[in-house]
Amino acid sequence: MTSHKDTPSTPLAGDPYAAAGVDIDAGNRLVDRIKPAALASSRVGVMGSLGGFGGLFDLKACGYTDPLLVAATDGVGTKLKIAIEAARYDTLGIDLVAMCVNDLVVQGAEPLFFLDYFATGQLDVEVAGRIVDGIAEGCRQAGCALIGGETAEMPGLYAKGDFDLAGFAVGAVERAALLPRADLAPGQCLIGLPASGFHANGFSLIRKIVAEKSLSPEQECPFSPGQSLADALLAPTALYVKPVLALHRAGLLKAAAHITGGGLTDNVPRFLPEGLAAHIELSSWSLPAAFAWIAQGAGLDPHALLRTFNCGIGMVLTVSETAQQDALTVLRDVGESPVLMGRIETRTDTPVHYHGDFGTGA
């Protein structure tokens, strides 16, 4: 194993470890390769630089007075297989960061720092470097710092060319600002933020449909003419840190849900207390063509689709009815295109009620 830290190494002729498939020198070259990208993600609170046994972060320097730490970990799933088959690695790191930090902000937390874990059978410095470049870019967009990580070279466990990724994010929130708020109530509004595609969920099913239709990564995408299938499927997960924190800091946000595995059906109820339900109007946004394509190919009815994919909505926010227009203004001011998608109501049976039919769109 090689860490994202400096490990002096003198090449040895006939090195038995290298002969066993672990190249320490390649690990050291990777550290040199990724240092500039990690440095570019630095922020207030970072202490030291990439190279220690652990990353240091000064919470006091960030100005918190009564903070709670919030931690999240996630991966990219079998979306990796699409990237490997297409030999396209640049945006996987953004996916990795987004899947973690989007989980932090729904609790009102500001992402502070990030660590990654990259495991492979044989280390390809250029491939790993492109992935870490993407991680650093995701961190920069999310306002958090890449302060360390681990690169594990494990021949015999991963096939040639295969690898896996995991990410770990830590954020902070003042105790009094923790989400969801305790005053969720019937009549409050649900606002959706558009997804950038499939994000990093449902790819085992997506890959199955791609295989059944004998599609190749470089051919034209069947649901996005003029774009390759690889480009469409590998569109990185949207980062929602900026809009969610802007709404929260304006004092308008009551609760939020990151729409990942389980879709709207399973994720929205995660912020709902007993006795409340979400009333969602499906006609309030157009179902992107990508989801209509996968629904047709997999034979998914609308309810199955809503429990498998984000269906075009990557984040759901709750605000009071009186704050609705102010919330929409805040979100638009940071570049979002928010959708009024429903309201909270008294629960009578299931925690999510869908009304109407999906629209269609690109």
Side-chain angles (χ1 to χ4, degrees):
M1 292 187 179
T2 57
S3 296
H4 294 182
K5 56 181 179 283
D6 296 309
T7 308
S9 174
T10 301
L12 299 175
D15 184 352
Y17 203 21
V22 179
D23 188 342
I24 295 175
D25 294 319
N28 291 334
R29 291 196 300 275
L30 176 61
V31 172
D32 292 336
R33 164 74 168 74
I34 66 179
K35 275 183 177 179
L39 182 62
S41 73
S42 188
R43 54 154 293 156
V44 172
V46 173
M47 297 177 63
S49 60
L50 204 67
F53 285 96
L56 298 175
F57 194 90
D58 183 357
L59 193 59
K60 186 176 180 180
C62 297
Y64 288 94
T65 57
D66 184 23
L68 297 173
L69 292 179
V70 183
T73 182
D74 211 333
V76 182
T78 59
K79 187 173 186 177
L80 294 177
K81 293 296 289 183
I82 302 287
I84 291 168
E85 290 166 9
R88 300 191 185 192
Y89 312 104
D90 301 87
T91 59
L92 290 176
I94 297 175
D95 280 303
L96 186 66
V97 173
M99 294 301 290
C100 295
V101 299
N102 287 345
D103 281 352
L104 295 184
V105 292
V106 302
Q107 295 174 89
E110 172 194 11
L112 300 176
F113 58 87
F114 191 88
L115 299 99
D116 70 282
Y117 177 79
F118 176 85
T120 186
Q122 182 176 7
L123 181 60
D124 183 318
V125 173
E126 179 57 27
V127 169
R130 288 164 65 185
I131 290 169
V132 177
D133 285 345
I135 293 170
E137 174 59 19
C139 286
R140 188 193 65 78
Q141 292 182 31
C144 64
L146 175 60
I147 65 170
E150 174 72 10
T151 303
E153 192 170 19
M154 296 186 283
L157 189 58
Y158 292 90
K160 184 178 180 180
D162 279 350
F163 57 84
D164 198 9
L165 291 173
F168 312 88
V170 174
V173 57
E174 294 288 3
R175 188 181 305 271
L178 186 66
L179 296 176
R181 309 295 289 186
D183 60 347
L184 289 170
Q188 291 172 350
C189 302
L190 299 175
I191 298 174
L193 300 183
S196 55
F198 290 113
H199 288 181
N201 294 108
F203 273 85
S204 293
L205 179 57
I206 293 167
R207 288 172 48 244
K208 179 176 182 289
I209 300 306
V210 167
E212 288 176 351
K213 293 180 178 292
S214 300
L215 301 175
S216 67
E218 298 306 323
Q219 74 180 76
E220 186 173 62
C221 179
F223 54 83
S224 182
Q227 185 179 34
S228 74
L229 181 62
D231 285 342
L233 294 180
L234 293 174
T237 303
L239 283 153
Y240 296 108
V241 173
K242 186 179 294 185
V244 175
L245 289 184
L247 199 62
H248 191 30
R249 289 167 177 165
L252 302 176
L253 187 58
K254 301 287 187 183
H258 180 203
I259 310 305
T260 56
L264 289 161
T265 302
D266 286 354
N267 285 291
V268 172
R270 294 170 71 174
F271 68 67
L272 291 171
E274 195 67 32
L276 294 181
H279 170 115
I280 295 177
E281 294 288 348
L282 295 179
S283 60
S284 61
W285 77 96
S286 293
L287 182 70
F291 298 96
W293 175 80
I294 198 69
Q296 188 277 328
L300 299 177
D301 64 31
H303 286 279
L305 189 66
L306 286 158
R307 201 181 180 200
T308 308
F309 297 99
N310 65 57
C311 295
I313 298 294
M315 182 72 69
V316 175
L317 311 170
T318 303
V319 302
S320 68
E321 190 173 10
T322 57
Q324 173 184 303
Q325 290 306 316
D326 288 341
L328 293 175
T329 297
V330 168
L331 294 169
R332 288 168 182 150
D333 284 347
V334 294
E336 287 290 337
S337 300
V339 174
L340 282 173
M341 58 182 295
R343 65 181 182 276
I344 292 179
E345 58 185 18
T346 300
R347 185 184 305 187
T348 57
D349 43 39
T350 60
V352 178
H353 292 278
Y354 296 111
H355 299 264
D357 297 317
F358 274 128
T360 57

